[in-house]
Amino acid sequence: MLSQLQHKDVLMYLAAVKSFARRVPPSIVHVVDDGSLTPEDRVLLSQHVPDIRFHALVDCREPGLPTGGTWERLTAIARLSQTHYVIQLDADTLTRGPIDEVKNTVQANRAFAIGTRNGQEIEIARELAGWTRASAGAANHVQVQAEIHFDRLREAPTLKYTRGCSGFAGFPAGPGKIELMRSVSAQMQELIGDKWNEWGSEQVMSNLVVANQSAAMVLPHPDYTDCEKLQPDTTRFVHFIGTCRFRNGRYAEMINRLVQDEKI
């Protein structure tokens, strides 16, 4: 398991990793320190997460790839997953029920992504490019600009994609991820220029890397979803994106319930 972490998210991260580990115990936990973790943070994390391993941001950079945002996180994942299955887990997530789909994909060494809609599947990237080009209008977000160029990539004939969220994803053990990242990143720099360095480009790349692994899958929605689409009786894993964890007290209520009922 790997996460990129900052000082202000340490307590949230402990809730995320401990609620997840109750369902799928990780063999090793890696943390990419964004530079803000204090010595006290590291002591606290080590007390709660045995054998946790810290990585400096600067050590998780790769020539030819963007830096900043969460690119270092993805680079660290690509390196570690050459020989080990790696699950990327954001600090603003909570596991609130059985997640057998995740356990099964890990055991089968299959990639997974958390989707954004019901019935979502892995798609053909160049087909998505045509659809996005026709519907994007004046949208200038890096995700849109990257997607409309998928059919211009050298990998286009076989490239796959899904509009997942990089906050929770599974990367199977095996080679080729860094090479794919370098190739696509270099081409995107040529196609959309500095836009490729904006926040959000790493999520596009994460989705590409996951989708192009053998037998990749999108986790069922809304069993796995974000807090805006949370279904209390159905959702077993929730990603509290943006500011929604600060509304209505639902996030704090869920943590309190996990502490009381599952002793995380």
Side-chain angles (χ1 to χ4, degrees):
M1 180 188 298
L2 183 141
S3 307
Q4 184 168 317
L5 188 59
Q6 56 185 340
H7 168 72
K8 68 188 182 82
D9 292 339
V10 166
L11 293 182
M12 286 200 316
Y13 169 76
L14 286 174
V17 71
K18 295 178 84 170
S19 65
F20 181 85
R22 292 279 291 177
R23 304 293 180 171
V24 183
S27 57
I28 303 173
V29 175
H30 297 266
V31 164
V32 176
D33 180 355
D34 80 334
S36 66
L37 295 183
T38 66
E40 292 77 15
D41 291 335
R42 292 190 175 220
V43 169
L44 178 64
L45 290 165
S46 298
Q47 289 173 342
H48 286 268
V49 186
D51 300 321
I52 191 169
R53 304 183 184 185
F54 296 97
H55 304 264
L57 205 65
V58 68
D59 294 332
C60 300
R61 291 173 178 158
E62 188 75 22
L65 296 180
T67 60
T70 51
W71 272 96
E72 286 83 357
R73 178 182 74 188
L74 182 57
T75 298
I77 290 169
R79 290 174 179 170
L80 289 169
S81 65
Q82 292 182 72
T83 54
H84 296 81
Y85 195 104
V86 179
I87 293 174
Q88 146 56 25
L89 184 77
D90 264 9
D92 55 354
T93 61
L94 287 175
T95 304
R96 57 193 304 265
I99 50 173
D100 292 341
E101 296 88 352
V102 172
K103 186 181 300 183
N104 293 338
T105 58
V106 173
Q107 292 174 346
N109 200 39
R110 295 179 61 188
F112 71 78
I114 183 171
T116 57
R117 66 182 189 276
N118 294 350
Q120 188 172 348
E121 297 179 349
I122 303 297
E123 302 174 76
I124 304 300
R126 61 182 175 183
E127 294 178 0
L128 179 66
W131 181 88
T132 304
R133 193 176 295 120
S135 61
N140 195 40
H141 190 276
V142 63
Q143 176 177 314
V144 173
Q145 292 302 307
E147 289 177 357
I148 64 177
H149 288 87
F150 281 168
D151 56 357
R152 300 175 185 175
L153 297 172
R154 290 191 296 272
E155 295 83 359
T158 59
L159 199 67
K160 298 176 183 179
Y161 185 68
T162 188
R163 281 182 175 172
C165 176
S166 63
F168 185 54
F171 299 81
K177 303 179 189 72
I178 284 286
E179 291 77 10
L180 176 63
M181 290 163 59
R182 283 177 178 158
S183 175
V184 172
S185 186
Q187 293 175 79
M188 282 297 176
Q189 288 282 3
E190 295 180 0
L191 290 166
I192 65 175
D194 289 341
K195 172 66 66 175
W196 184 239
N197 295 314
E198 293 183 5
W199 175 265
S201 61
E202 180 272 347
Q203 179 156 278
V204 174
M205 184 64 79
S206 177
N207 290 331
L208 280 169
V209 171
V210 166
N212 286 280
Q213 305 305 305
S214 177
M217 68 172 290
V218 181
L219 296 172
H221 186 279
D223 301 72
Y224 300 78
T225 190
D226 65 66
C227 51
E228 301 290 357
K229 302 171 185 175
L230 170 68
Q231 300 295 316
D233 296 331
T234 303
T235 301
R236 293 171 279 135
F237 181 95
V238 58
H239 185 198
F240 283 86
I241 57 174
T243 61
C244 70
R245 64 182 173 273
F246 303 115
R247 300 198 300 265
N248 304 322
R250 179 178 284 177
Y251 176 69
E253 179 185 347
M254 284 187 187
I255 291 179
N256 287 334
R257 188 172 301 141
L258 287 166
V259 169
Q260 292 170 7
D261 295 347
E262 300 198 20
K263 305 298 187 292
I264 65 168

